[in-house]
Amino acid sequence: MLRVGLTYDLRQDYLDMGFGEEETAEFDSPRTIEGLETALADLGFAVERVGHVKKLAEKLVGGARWDFVFNICEGVSGLGRESQVPCLLDAYGIPYVFSDPLTTALTLDKAMAKKVLAHDGVPTADFVLLTDAAQAKAVTLPFPLFAKPVAEGSGKGVGPASKASNHVELEAVTADLIRQFHQPVIVETYLPGREFTVGIVGEGKTARVIGIMEVIFDTAATANGYGYDNKQHWEGKIGYELVTDPEAVAAGDVALAGWRSLRCRDGGRADVKSDAAGRPHFIEVNPLAGLHPDYSDLVFLSNFAGWRYRDLIGAITDAFLTRHPALAARHVRAAA
Ligand SMILES: Nc1ncnc2c1ncn2[C@@H]1O[C@H](COP(=O)(O)OP(=O)(O)O)[C@@H](O)[C@H]1O
Ligand SMILES: [Mg+2]
C-alpha cells in the first residue's frame, strides 16, 4: 500500500499562534483534513497526518519518508509561501500532489501570472501594479477599474470599494489596500460580464475541464465581486449553477489555456469573467484550491458534475500517478 503524507495548514494551529480570522481564511478546517484522510484511505492509500511546513521539516530531519505527499499547505509568509512545502519535498526527492514551486509562486502573484498569460495569448484584462497610492493619479487605463491585493486569495481585499470610477476612488482604495495588506495593488480593467469558476484536473495536454460553474450574484450580495464577504457568507447572496452555453464553454477554454500556460498540475480551479461583449477573460488560478468537503467551490463543481468527494480526490491522485508511473504500478485502487 502506498504511504501518503498529508500536509495542511490547520486553521486552529494558526489562530492559536495569534493570527486573525481574515488572515487565516484560506486555512484548513478539521473537516477538510478528516475528509481528505477518509477519501485517501478509501482510495487505497495508507495516510499519515503531517501538518504544516515546520512539522514537515521536523519529520524530514527526523528521517520520516512517504511514497508521496498530498499537499494543501498555503503557508503564511512571503511570496513563496505556497512553494515552501514543494521546495522542501523536492530537496528530499519526495513526489507530491499539485503544482511545483515555480507555479505556486507565479500564480500567487497575479501580476506576474498575467504577464505569462499575455505572452501565451490567453485573454486577461489590462492591468498596472501600484506600490504607492499616489501612483493612482497617473493611471491611464480607462475607468471603471478594479483594485485588489496582488497576492491574496479567498476574496481578501475585494468588496464595495474595489471598483473605482475615477482617480479619487482609485487612490483611496489603493491606499486602504496597501495599508491593510502590506503589498502592491493590482489595478485591472473592470470586467462587467458573467463570472465563471472552472474545475480542472490533469496537466498539459491531458488537462481537462470537469465542470464550469457560473457564480451568480443575488440582490443581497455584497457589491463588486466575489469577495471575502460573499465567499464566507454565500448563503442567500451567491448562487452557483453548472453551465454549458457557448459563453460558458468559451470560459472553460480560456481556463484550460491559462492552466496550461501556468503549468498547473493535478487539479484546481480557475476564475474567469467576461467583458461587456461577453468575451471571457482569465482572472486567476488556484493551483491549491480549497477542498472542504461541504463548501469549497471545486467540490461543488465536481458534485454538480456527478462526482462524490472521493471521486474528485481520486481524479486528482490519478492525475498525480500518471506523472509517476513507478508509483502507479504499485498502487491498487480500492473498489468504488
Ligand atoms: N478585473 C476584474 N473585473 C471585475 N471583477 C473582478 C476583476 N478581478 C477580480 N474581480 C472580482 O473579484 C473576485 C476576486 O478576485 P480574484 O482575483 O479571484 O481573488 P481571490 O484570489 O481572492 O479569489 C473575482 O471572483 C471577481 O468577482
Ligand atoms: Mg478567485
Side-chain angles (χ1 to χ4, degrees), residues 172-249:
V173 66
T174 303
D176 278 350
L177 291 174
I178 290 176
R179 199 174 312 120
Q180 205 183 336
F181 294 98
H182 312 287
Q183 61 183 276
V185 169
I186 180 170
V187 174
E188 298 180 344
T189 300
Y190 180 72
L191 297 164
R194 293 167 67 194
E195 177 156 350
F196 307 94
T197 190
V198 181
I200 297 174
V201 291
E203 65 161 346
K205 285 200 182 79
T206 64
R208 64 188 199 279
V209 169
I210 60 174
I212 303 157
M213 194 166 76
E214 183 163 3
V215 179
I216 297 164
F217 298 86
D218 295 340
T219 44
T222 301
N224 298 330
Y226 192 27
Y228 185 72
D229 185 55
N230 287 329
K231 289 187 191 213
Q232 293 288 315
H233 310 289
W234 55 272
E235 286 104 329
K237 295 181 178 171
I238 302 293
Y240 301 95
E241 203 175 305
L242 200 67
V243 280
T244 53
D245 62 274
E247 187 175 332
V249 171

Side-chain angles (χ1 to χ4, degrees), residues 110 195 226 231 269 271 283-284 286:
K110 291 172 185 170
E195 177 156 350
Y226 192 27
K231 289 187 191 213
R269 242 189 57 235
D271 295 336
I283 297 184
E284 60 130 8
N286 298 289

Side-chain angles (χ1 to χ4, degrees), residues 303-331:
N303 290 162
F304 277 143
W307 291 7
R308 295 164 299 172
Y309 187 70
R310 63 172 282 188
D311 299 325
L312 172 63
I313 304 307
I316 291 168
T317 51
D318 282 351
F320 162 80
L321 289 170
T322 304
R323 301 192 282 111
H324 294 279
L327 288 177
R330 289 172 49 206
H331 177 54

Side-chain angles (χ1 to χ4, degrees), residues 50-294:
V50 177
H52 55 59
V53 63
K54 292 183 179 175
K55 292 193 174 163
L56 173 66
E58 276 169 31
K59 291 202 181 203
L60 287 170
V61 170
R65 299 291 184 268
W66 306 272
D67 291 309
F68 71 95
V69 165
F70 194 102
N71 169 47
I72 59 166
C73 287
E74 300 192 355
V76 269
S77 53
L79 279 173
R81 61 187 172 84
E82 293 185 356
S83 316
Q84 291 162 351
V85 164
C87 278
L88 211 45
L89 293 169
D90 277 346
Y92 280 83
I94 299 176
Y96 48 89
V97 178
F98 297 123
S99 294
D100 73 5
L102 176 67
T103 293
T104 47
L106 179 64
T107 56
L108 188 60
D109 186 314
K110 291 172 185 170
M112 293 299 281
K114 283 163 71 79
K115 291 183 196 188
V116 174
L117 292 167
H119 177 90
D120 286 343
V122 179
T124 189
D126 287 342
F127 76 98
V128 287
L129 195 65
L130 306 183
T131 50
D132 187 312
Q135 293 166 341
K137 292 186 180 71
V139 170
T140 56
L141 292 172
F143 286 97
L145 294 170
F146 197 88
K148 60 191 178 185
V150 71
E152 290 295 345
S154 305
K156 290 191 226 171
V158 169
S162 297
K163 184 179 169 189
S165 302
N166 53 54
H167 286 101
V168 174
E169 287 177 10
L170 185 64
E171 186 166 349
V173 66
T174 303
D176 278 350
L177 291 174
I178 290 176
R179 199 174 312 120
Q180 205 183 336
F181 294 98
H182 312 287
Q183 61 183 276
V185 169
I186 180 170
V187 174
E188 298 180 344
T189 300
Y190 180 72
L191 297 164
R194 293 167 67 194
E195 177 156 350
F196 307 94
T197 190
V198 181
I200 297 174
V201 291
E203 65 161 346
K205 285 200 182 79
T206 64
R208 64 188 199 279
V209 169
I210 60 174
I212 303 157
M213 194 166 76
E214 183 163 3
V215 179
I216 297 164
F217 298 86
D218 295 340
T219 44
T222 301
N224 298 330
Y226 192 27
Y228 185 72
D229 185 55
N230 287 329
K231 289 187 191 213
Q232 293 288 315
H233 310 289
W234 55 272
E235 286 104 329
K237 295 181 178 171
I238 302 293
Y240 301 95
E241 203 175 305
L242 200 67
V243 280
T244 53
D245 62 274
E247 187 175 332
V249 171
D253 291 344
V254 166
L256 205 51
W259 181 265
R260 290 174 174 145
S261 163
L262 299 169
R263 297 194 203 152
C264 300
R265 303 192 301 210
D266 301 338
R269 242 189 57 235
D271 295 336
V272 176
K273 203 170 190 306
S274 293
D275 64 11
R279 286 178 305 232
H281 286 61
F282 199 94
I283 297 184
E284 60 130 8
V285 68
N286 298 289
L288 297 174
L291 288 173
H292 192 289
D294 308 315

